[in-house]
Amino acid sequence: MNAGPVDPTTTAAWSSLSEHRSATTPDLRGWFAADPARARDLTLDVADLHVDLSKNLVTADTVALLLQLAEQTGVLARRDAMLAGEHVNVTEDRAVLHTALRRPAGASPALEVDGQDVDGDVQAELAKVFTFADAVRSGEWRGVTGKAITTVVNIGIGGSDLGPVMAYEALKPSVRAGLECRFVSNIDPTDVAETTKDLDPETTLFIVASKTFGTLETLTNARLARAWLWRELAAAGVLADSDEARQEAVAKHFVAVSTALDKVAAFGIDPANAFGFWDWVGGRYSVDSAIGTSLAVAIGPEAFREFLAGFHAVDEHFRTTAPERNVPLLMGLLNVWYVNFLDAHTHAVLPYSQYLHRFPAYLQQLTMESNGKSVRYDGEPVTTHTGEVFWGEPGTNGQHAFYQLIHQGTRVVPSDFIAFATPAHPLVDGDADVHALFMANFFAQTKALAFGKTAEEVRAEGTAEDVVAARVFSGNRPTTSIMAPSLTPAVLGQLIALYEHVTFVEGAVWGIDSFDQWGVELGKKLALEIAPALTGDTAALEAQDPSTGALIRYYLEHRRD
């Protein structure tokens, strides 16, 4: 895969799609009426996920042309290159092998990349994580005063936070009773202060997740947490005033997810309690690596294995299923259709499950950090729009907030609705099944978005003529419905892998490197240059542009200790 990308706008399929778009008026009512098999033909299964694509703004011709676009831009060849360990992350000259993290033990053929036994490395690190998780869960791992751990605080940022916290929230019914995880990411000192203020230092364990052990936000928060631990243990009268005692406390209450063992040791963490991963794992693709150690502690190794198996099931579907039935491929191509041919700027993800309340935020990083690019992987400018703004909220909360815009606004907002047949808490309100009521909203929303309500239907309800127009719903608002029997560790893994591959497909069509993230680097560099200006360095302050300098002066004038 050393050849440059194919410019999608130069392909015959792109031209055909442009002509098709000009000649096609979306008409979901008419399309369903004309084709009784539409729902059946556009509903597909991937592992436990049941995916209905029929309410999207496509015909059979649209799908056929999108599949031609995938073929002409080499999407599947790039998929195969990624899975084989070729260096498809061109700007960093790295393989992209998050899919290797969930290959089962003994997978055949064995995966060797750049002379490394990838399968062996992954299984060895997993075993280490699981041994640790079992020790914490069983009470074998104890704090400095001999008490068992009851709270695990994960300190990370970006992929080292969003993945673990999202998965922990999603799988709370699987968390061992008496064990809690909390998460710190923001360098705002409020985050550490609020997270720790009611914790018992004798039963709290911190996991510092930073591959290089040099991430500014993570290491700052780790030092704040360490200071809190020492201060609170001392206040409780259980920590002697000596460096030796403080180091012992850190060794019992801190572990790391990092490969920089020298820095880990310098912090006071025993390198034996550092869990590693590899440069072929991007942060936003890392929840199924050692970055998920807090999750493994919370739900246990067996459930974590199920989580990994869910990922792998979708990986295999993506790898082996024919294009016309390949769910990640089709969903990725639909997103290209909306972005490049229907001028959609955003994409809503609407989980009808409170446990998935962090899933849209997780997808924001996955999709927007991956595909927010304006340069192709050969260094040339892109020739069309790339990426979309992902956003969303769970369930009926969104209905009472932003659904108005999706239903009757002027912009196309493709929306993914996610729901589960069996709830974790089958509650009733009198004689009413609350989950059935909840699901009625799920089904009603996609139906309303697809088919709308005509002026004639509004008038037939006796509506006064002067408000008829306001009550008309145009319909033809595209949605995908994703359902599963229940939200299990395996199903969560399937959902994550599905969107990983959807993101990959879009990037492959656009010819961009979906696995680097240079866009986050400039702000980090400038923050380090600006920081001295906030603590009295007049030269650093004078070096700023007029706007930034004025803002800093305002801050300095109004800051109170």
Side-chain angles (χ1 to χ4, degrees):
M1 285 297 297
N2 291 325
V6 174
D7 179 348
T9 66
T10 66
T11 63
W14 192 277
S15 297
S16 297
L17 281 164
S18 297
E19 294 171 4
H20 173 69
R21 168 66 185 96
S22 298
T24 303
T25 300
D27 181 15
L28 285 171
R29 284 195 182 207
W31 293 343
F32 272 92
D35 181 7
R38 179 180 173 89
R40 181 199 66 198
D41 292 345
L42 286 173
T43 299
L44 307 168
D45 293 313
V46 46
D48 296 308
L49 305 180
H50 185 69
V51 182
D52 181 357
L53 303 176
S54 65
K55 294 188 181 80
N56 281 282
L57 303 184
V58 293
T59 65
D61 289 341
T62 318
V63 174
L65 290 171
L66 288 169
L67 289 171
Q68 289 178 25
L69 179 65
E71 180 181 4
Q72 292 170 18
T73 53
V75 172
L76 298 185
R78 189 160 173 81
R79 171 203 64 188
D80 294 342
M82 178 184 71
L83 296 175
E86 295 186 31
H87 287 208
V88 297
N89 181 350
V90 175
T91 69
E92 297 179 295
D93 192 23
R94 292 175 179 173
V96 174
L97 280 173
H98 48 278
T99 53
L101 297 169
R102 50 265 195 156
R103 281 166 57 93
S108 181
L111 182 60
E112 182 177 303
V113 175
D114 299 335
Q116 287 296 117
D117 175 9
V118 172
D119 289 331
D121 290 348
V122 168
Q123 294 303 320
E125 206 62 37
L126 264 182
K128 187 177 176 183
V129 169
F130 289 166
T131 297
F132 169 73
D134 280 334
V136 175
R137 290 168 63 84
S138 69
E140 177 186 347
W141 181 291
R142 293 179 178 271
V144 71
T145 62
K147 292 183 179 180
I149 299 300
T150 59
T151 306
V152 175
V153 179
N154 186 89
I155 302 175
I157 198 166
S160 298
D161 170 74
L162 283 166
V165 70
M166 177 277 293
Y168 173 77
E169 291 292 321
L171 299 177
K172 271 190 172 176
S174 299
V175 174
R176 203 206 72 182
L179 188 62
E180 179 193 11
C181 289
R182 298 186 183 185
F183 300 85
V184 172
S185 59
N186 200 331
I187 198 172
D188 182 342
T190 302
D191 201 2
V192 168
E194 288 293 328
T195 300
T196 58
K197 70 179 182 181
D198 61 343
L199 293 183
D200 180 351
E202 298 180 59
T203 60
T204 299
L205 176 73
F206 294 94
I207 299 175
V208 184
S210 172
K211 180 188 284 188
T212 64
F213 220 72
T215 307
L216 173 65
E217 297 91 340
T218 299
L219 268 293
T220 300
N221 283 331
R223 289 189 293 269
L224 291 174
R226 183 178 61 185
W228 172 87
L229 179 72
W230 287 339
R231 182 177 64 250
E232 295 300 314
L233 287 175
V238 295
L239 181 68
D241 185 14
S242 70
D243 289 343
E244 182 180 1
R246 285 187 282 271
Q247 286 300 97
E248 182 184 3
V250 171
K252 294 290 188 179
H253 291 269
F254 278 81
V255 299
V257 179
S258 179
T259 54
L261 298 185
D262 55 338
K263 295 179 182 178
V264 167
F267 185 88
I269 298 173
D270 185 344
N273 297 325
F275 311 101
F277 54 113
W278 304 270
D279 65 5
W280 40 257
V281 183
R284 57 195 176 275
Y285 298 90
S286 66
V287 66
D288 45 345
S289 72
I291 288 294
T293 296
S294 58
L295 180 65
V297 172
I299 67 175
E302 182 178 351
F304 199 90
R305 285 279 189 197
E306 295 172 8
F307 181 55
L308 297 178
F311 280 94
H312 184 65
V314 175
D315 294 343
E316 286 298 287
H317 172 95
F318 185 47
R319 184 179 70 86
T320 64
T321 303
E324 63 273 11
R325 306 293 295 177
N326 195 306
V327 176
L329 176 65
L330 291 171
M331 287 181 64
L333 292 171
L334 283 172
N335 289 359
V336 170
W337 171 243
Y338 291 128
V339 169
N340 295 130
F341 297 93
L342 295 181
D343 199 30
H345 295 188
T346 78
H347 192 113
V349 179
L350 309 169
Y352 277 63
S353 168
Q354 185 62 29
Y355 284 122
L356 283 179
H357 70 104
R358 294 294 290 163
F359 194 56
Y362 174 79
L363 293 183
Q364 284 176 351
Q365 186 196 24
L366 172 65
T367 61
M368 295 165 68
E369 193 166 84
S370 293
N371 288 340
K373 311 288 171 63
S374 56
V375 174
R376 304 187 315 189
Y377 65 76
D378 62 355
E380 293 297 316
V382 297
T383 56
T384 188
H385 289 302
T386 65
E388 60 266 80
V389 175
F390 267 67
W391 58 285
E393 285 286 335
T396 52
N397 292 2
Q399 292 176 202
H400 291 267
F402 51 77
Y403 277 39
Q404 169 65 43
L405 184 147
I406 299 177
H407 278 286
Q408 291 185 308
T410 59
R411 297 187 182 278
V412 176
V413 183
S415 303
D416 297 347
F417 285 71
I418 304 171
F420 306 96
T422 302
H425 306 287
L427 301 178
V428 295
D429 176 22
D431 295 329
D433 179 335
V434 177
H435 189 63
L437 177 61
F438 188 44
M439 289 300 296
N441 280 272
F442 171 86
F443 297 123
Q445 290 298 325
T446 61
K447 181 174 183 176
L449 287 164
F451 305 118
K453 181 183 284 189
T454 66
E456 291 73 20
E457 290 168 334
V458 174
R459 291 189 184 97
E461 295 175 342
T463 304
E465 188 62 32
D466 61 340
V467 294
V468 166
R471 295 194 177 188
V472 168
F473 290 74
S474 66
N476 295 316
R477 306 295 176 122
T479 64
T480 293
S481 296
I482 303 172
M483 298 189 68
S486 59
L487 180 53
T488 63
V491 165
L492 181 62
Q494 291 164 24
L495 282 170
I496 297 170
L498 173 65
Y499 280 95
E500 286 177 347
H501 297 317
V502 166
T503 301
F504 169 87
V505 169
E506 292 179 81
V509 170
W510 291 322
I512 58 179
D513 186 341
S514 297
F515 305 103
D516 62 14
Q517 57 278 337
W518 297 108
V520 306
E521 297 300 320
L522 179 58
K524 290 181 180 180
K525 179 176 181 295
L526 291 178
L528 293 175
E529 295 174 2
I530 289 172
L534 309 184
T535 54
D537 187 329
T538 56
L541 179 57
E542 293 303 320
Q544 304 306 317
D545 65 88
S547 172
T548 305
L551 290 168
I552 292 171
R553 290 184 179 91
Y554 177 90
Y555 162 79
L556 293 172
E557 290 168 6
H558 291 82
R559 167 68 187 266
R560 294 192 186 97
D561 292 327

